[in-house]
Amino acid sequence: MFKNFIDGSWLAGPQVSRNINPSDTRDLVGEYAQADAAQTRLAIAAAEAAFAGWSLSTPQQRFDLLDAVGSEMLGRRSELGDLLAREEGKTLPEAIGEVVRAGNIFKFYAGEALRPGGEALPSVRPGVGVEITREPLGVVGIITPWNFPIAIPAWKIAPALAYGNCVVFKPAELVPGSAWALAEILSRAGLPAGVFNLVMGRGSEVGAALLDDARVTAISFTGSAATGRKVATACVARMAKFQLEMGGKNPMVVLDDADLDLAVNCAVNSGYFSTGQRCTASSRLIVTEGIHDRFVAAMVERLKFLRVDDARAAGTDIGPVVDQNQLSQNLEYVDIAQKEGGRLAHGGEALAQGPTGKPGFYMTPALIVDTTAEMRINREEVFGPVVSVLRARNYEEALCLANDTPFGLAAGIATTSLKHATHFKRHVQAGMAMVNLPTAGVDFHVPFGGRKGSSYGPREQGRYASEFYTAVKTAYTQA
C-alpha cells in the first residue's frame, strides 16, 4: 500500500482506494492510503510549524532542491510516463511528454528562486528610501485534477516551494499513483519535515478540511466549475487567497483560406488527443461556409484511421477515457446532441475492448455536425473525445460564435490571412489564443489561464505565478 506523506513520514490512512488501469480494468495499479479530516489537519499543522524556517531558507537552498527534483524526473521520464499512462489513460508518448514538462517546470522554478526580484525607489520625501519586495504567504493548499496528474501538481507545487511557502497537496482520487511518485521524489530531496505534505483522499473530507482551516493561507485549485465555486465561497468566507482554473468550451475557427491539412491536424490534435480530456481541448470547431464540407469530409477520413487502444501499446493514437463515469457522460452527450438536431458524422460508440483485446473504458472519437450555438453540446464541457462543428457565414460570424460561451480559456484559428489572425488574437475572449496551432499544448515558462468562467485569480506558470504565491511588501526607511 502506498501511504500519505505528512511531516516527513509515510503514514497509512484510515481507508484504502484501489487504482485501476482504464486500459485494462483487470490491472490493479496499486492500493493507496486515503486520509481523513483529522490526518489532513495533522498535515496542515506540520506545514504551519515548518513555515517559519522554510520561509527564511536561502535562494540557493531552494534552487538546489527544486533543480534536483526536476533532474530526477527527467532522468526517470520513461518509468514515470509509463505509470502515468497506466493509471490515467493518455498514450505513452503523451504521458512521457507530460513528465518532461513537469521536470522542466521544477527546473524553471529552481531558477526563479534565484531571481526573486524587487524594487528600490526614492520616496517623494527627501531622505527616505522605498523597497518593494515579495514574501511567501504561509501554508498553501493545492488541489489538482486527474487529467494531468503530474504536470498540474508540478506547476503549483514548484512555485509554492520556490517562493518559500509550505504545501499540503491533495491530488485527484482517480490518479494517486503519479502524485505519490512525485511526493516520493520530493521526500528525498532534502526538504525539512512539514514543508511538503501529501494527503490523498476524498474531496468531501480532505478538500473540505483544507478549505475550512484558517491555517491554510491560500488555495490553488484546478477542477470543475461547480467545485471551483465551492472553493471560492469557502475562501471568501474566511478571507483566504484563492486561485481557480476550471472548465473550457474552446473554439477552433477554420476560415475559407486555411490550409486544409493544417486545419485538420490542429482540430484532431486539439479535440481528440489525450482522449479529449484536456481543459484546453477544442470541442467546438467553427468552420466558414466555403471550406465547411471539405473540412468535415477530411475530418471524417482522418478519424477513420485513429487507433483507439491500450494507452501503452505501440501505435495507439487515443487511449481510454479515465473511468466508467466519464465514459457514460461522454455517450450521454453524444445522444443529447443528436436529439437536439445534430448529426453524428463519425464515432461516438463505446468499445468493450481495444484491438489488443484488453477490457477498458474505450470509445470511438465522435464528430457531430449540423449543430447550432444554443445546443448543450456547444454550451457545456463534455471532457472527452466528443467534438461538434458549427457552420459560419464568414469570419465575423465565426468570431461571434467563438465568443458565445460562458468559458474563455483557449481559442484557435486556422487561416493564412494576417489580417484575420491579428484581429482574432486581439478580439477573441480567451486567456490564450493560437494561430495555426492546436489549442491544447502550451509552454511551461509562460502564463497559463483564461477568462470568464474558466479562471479566477492570478495566472499560473512562468514568472506570473509569483502574483499568487507571494504577498507584496512596501518598506520605507529614513537614513
Side-chain angles (χ1 to χ4, degrees):
M1 184 184 70
F2 298 91
K3 300 178 181 180
N4 288 307
F5 186 68
I6 298 173
D7 200 16
S9 299
W10 294 101
L11 303 179
Q15 295 181 325
V16 174
S17 71
R18 291 165 57 85
N19 189 6
I20 302 297
N21 179 356
S23 293
D24 184 352
T25 52
R26 303 165 302 183
D27 177 29
L28 176 65
V29 179
E31 295 186 331
Y32 292 80
Q34 296 276 283
D36 58 8
Q39 206 167 51
T40 305
R41 288 191 289 270
L42 184 65
I44 294 169
E48 183 187 41
F51 177 68
W54 180 247
S55 63
L56 298 177
S57 59
T58 67
Q60 186 66 53
Q61 182 182 3
R62 281 175 272 134
F63 171 88
D64 290 342
L65 291 168
L66 295 175
D67 188 63
V69 170
S71 294
E72 180 169 345
M73 295 181 75
L74 293 175
R76 296 172 59 191
R77 66 186 71 185
S78 296
E79 171 200 347
L80 296 173
D82 185 78
L83 170 63
L84 197 163
R86 185 182 173 200
E87 74 165 350
E88 194 271 347
K90 63 182 58 174
T91 66
L92 186 57
E94 290 173 322
I96 292 173
E98 181 178 336
V99 174
V100 170
R101 179 180 178 181
N104 284 329
I105 287 168
F106 270 94
K107 294 180 87 63
F108 174 83
Y109 284 110
E112 285 300 279
L114 297 175
R115 297 186 289 267
E119 296 179 85
L121 301 173
S123 170
V124 295
R125 294 167 289 172
V128 175
V130 181
E131 296 171 279
I132 304 170
T133 56
R134 289 188 175 273
E135 297 182 352
L137 301 174
V139 179
V140 177
I142 289 174
I143 304 173
T144 61
W146 51 260
N147 62 323
F148 281 86
I150 203 162
I152 292 179
W155 83 49
K156 294 178 186 290
I157 294 168
L161 297 177
Y163 298 125
N165 300 284
C166 294
V167 168
V168 179
F169 168 40
K170 182 221 165 311
E173 297 169 55
L174 284 171
V175 287
S178 296
W180 188 92
L182 175 57
E184 196 278 330
I185 294 172
L186 283 162
S187 75
R188 293 183 285 99
L191 289 166
V195 170
F196 170 82
N197 304 271
L198 169 71
V199 281
M200 301 176 286
R202 296 181 179 277
S204 58
E205 292 189 67
V206 175
L210 283 171
L211 293 180
D212 295 339
D213 199 306
R215 296 170 294 181
V216 180
T217 312
I219 295 283
S220 181
F221 167 84
T222 299
S224 70
T227 305
R229 285 190 288 271
K230 294 178 182 178
V231 171
T233 299
C235 289
V236 167
R238 60 182 186 83
M239 300 299 286
K241 195 172 186 180
F242 63 96
Q243 174 186 59
L244 309 177
E245 288 295 340
M246 298 170 289
K249 197 65 187 173
N250 308 297
M252 168 64 73
V253 171
V254 180
L255 299 185
D256 289 352
D257 60 23
D259 179 293
L260 182 60
D261 290 339
L262 182 146
V264 169
N265 287 338
C266 287
V268 169
N269 183 308
S270 297
Y272 299 107
F273 287 6
S274 294
T275 324
Q277 297 175 154
R278 300 186 282 196
C279 55
T280 53
S282 290
S283 54
R284 293 186 300 143
L285 305 178
I286 302 168
V287 189
T288 50
E289 287 183 332
I291 198 174
H292 177 277
D293 293 350
R294 289 186 294 127
F295 175 80
V296 169
M299 283 288 294
V300 171
E301 194 63 24
R302 176 70 181 277
L303 294 178
K304 290 178 182 177
F305 293 96
L306 291 182
R307 180 184 176 94
V308 179
D309 202 0
D310 185 332
R312 297 187 291 166
T316 297
D317 296 302
I318 299 176
V321 301
V322 72
D323 69 355
Q324 182 60 52
N325 289 336
Q326 187 65 52
L327 177 59
S328 298
Q329 177 178 296
N330 296 346
L331 298 175
E332 181 182 3
Y333 271 104
V334 171
D335 184 58
I336 290 169
Q338 293 178 90
K339 288 178 178 177
E340 291 187 343
R343 177 172 63 86
L344 187 61
H346 183 272
E349 301 170 338
L351 300 172
Q353 59 188 30
T356 53
K358 298 173 183 176
F361 306 118
Y362 299 105
M363 72 173 289
T364 53
L367 183 69
I368 304 165
V369 299
D370 301 333
T371 71
T372 55
E374 69 276 5
M375 292 180 178
R376 286 181 63 187
I377 195 67
N378 289 317
R379 309 303 299 175
E380 300 170 11
E381 186 175 38
V382 180
F383 221 65
V386 181
V387 174
S388 59
V389 180
L390 297 98
R391 187 190 296 263
R393 290 188 301 273
N394 50 37
Y395 166 73
E396 288 73 23
E397 184 180 29
L399 178 63
C400 287
L401 288 170
N403 288 334
D404 183 17
T405 173
F407 299 105
L409 183 55
I413 187 169
T415 181
T416 55
S417 166
L418 179 61
K419 171 187 172 182
H420 287 139
T422 302
H423 189 274
F424 183 83
K425 287 187 290 183
R426 173 61 183 85
H427 293 278
V428 73
Q429 295 169 3
M432 297 176 289
M434 284 73 168
V435 177
N436 295 325
L437 287 166
T439 55
V442 295
D443 291 355
F444 62 83
H445 68 303
V446 295
F448 177 97
R451 297 168 57 174
K452 299 192 280 190
S454 289
S455 303
Y456 186 92
R459 287 289 189 261
E460 299 199 88
Q461 295 199 143
R463 304 205 72 179
Y464 283 74
S466 65
E467 294 290 334
F468 178 73
Y469 292 103
T470 63
V472 173
K473 175 176 282 185
T474 306
Y476 296 85
T477 303
Q478 175 144 351

